[in-house]
Amino acid sequence: MDHLKALIREVPDFPKPGINFYDITTLLKDGKGLAAAIDGLEKAARTAPADLVLGIEARGFFFAPAVATALGVGFAPVRKPKKLPARTVSVEYALEYGTDRLEIHEDAIQPGQRVWIVDDVLATGGTAAATAQLVEKLGGTVAGLAFVIELDFLNGRSKLAGRTIHSLLHY
Ligand code: AMP
């Protein structure tokens, strides 16, 4: 996993001063690194049975469909407002300043389906917690959440108490 960490580019002060951005594009373009990341996420997702994998816009989309394929299940996107064409359900969540919203098609998850949630970074946990709420709003069960990177110092896990969380890399 140290090999994977070496492929993550840290960009200071992006997108605004004081934020250290963990850029996974340098991992994605490395064939072995990309395969190792997908493999790690797949192994994480094999710890609890899944019927569906959700990816969170936008960088979750780089990983989630590959994990779904490896598991032999389908993929569904969780998107920013007004991107999905059919009927949606949404959840609003708090940002540092103001609020944001995430949406999913209302027929993306069948009641009782077990769902893995995949994203690149677990930071404060707001995005992941909102996604877990969307799953439950549609009658699904959150099997677990898998991330490439977890920023331990932001304690995103506190917003996901009681849930199964796997992260390949910790900062
Ligand atoms: P949060 O809701 O705070 O856990 O933020 C998670 C979302 O924001 C993820 O979808 C990440 O892609 C992105 N994100 C937050 N902080 C960072 C960071 N320092 N570097 C890269 N991505 C981040």
Side-chain angles (χ1 to χ4, degrees):
M1 286 297 146
D2 280 350
H3 155 72
L4 273 193
K5 223 174 197 180
L7 292 170
I8 307 291
R9 172 165 54 195
E10 295 184 38
V11 184
D13 300 317
F14 183 88
K16 52 185 183 183
I19 303 287
N20 194 37
F21 193 87
Y22 293 83
D23 176 19
I24 46 84
T25 65
T26 39
L27 164 72
L28 293 174
K29 69 176 181 165
D30 184 281
K32 283 190 180 140
L34 176 59
I38 298 298
D39 190 57
L41 293 169
E42 179 199 347
K43 284 201 172 78
R46 284 199 185 279
T47 60
D51 302 305
L52 187 73
V53 176
L54 292 195
I56 307 175
E57 184 172 358
R59 287 178 295 275
F61 295 172
F62 297 146
F63 300 101
V67 174
T69 304
L71 296 177
V73 301
F75 157 81
V78 171
R79 299 210 60 180
K80 310 247 164 81
K82 299 192 170 147
K83 302 280 192 188
L84 291 167
R87 286 169 61 98
T88 59
V89 296
S90 70
V91 164
E92 201 168 77
Y93 63 102
L95 297 175
E96 196 179 351
Y97 300 103
T99 61
D100 214 339
R101 207 149 45 87
L102 285 175
E103 297 183 344
I104 190 168
H105 273 143
E106 67 177 14
D107 61 358
I109 299 169
Q110 300 311 306
Q113 278 195 312
R114 300 159 298 183
V115 179
W116 269 90
I117 296 169
V118 171
D119 204 359
D120 66 334
V121 175
L122 174 60
T124 66
T127 306
T131 302
Q133 270 180 271
L134 282 177
V135 171
E136 287 162 356
K137 243 182 159 171
L138 291 177
T141 303
V142 178
L145 302 98
F147 303 92
V148 179
I149 295 168
E150 179 170 349
L151 305 182
D152 295 340
F153 52 92
L154 292 176
N155 200 22
R157 280 180 184 249
S158 64
K159 290 207 183 75
L160 300 165
R163 301 195 188 276
T164 299
I165 304 165
H166 289 275
S167 303
L168 305 184
L169 306 174
H170 292 263
Y171 289 85

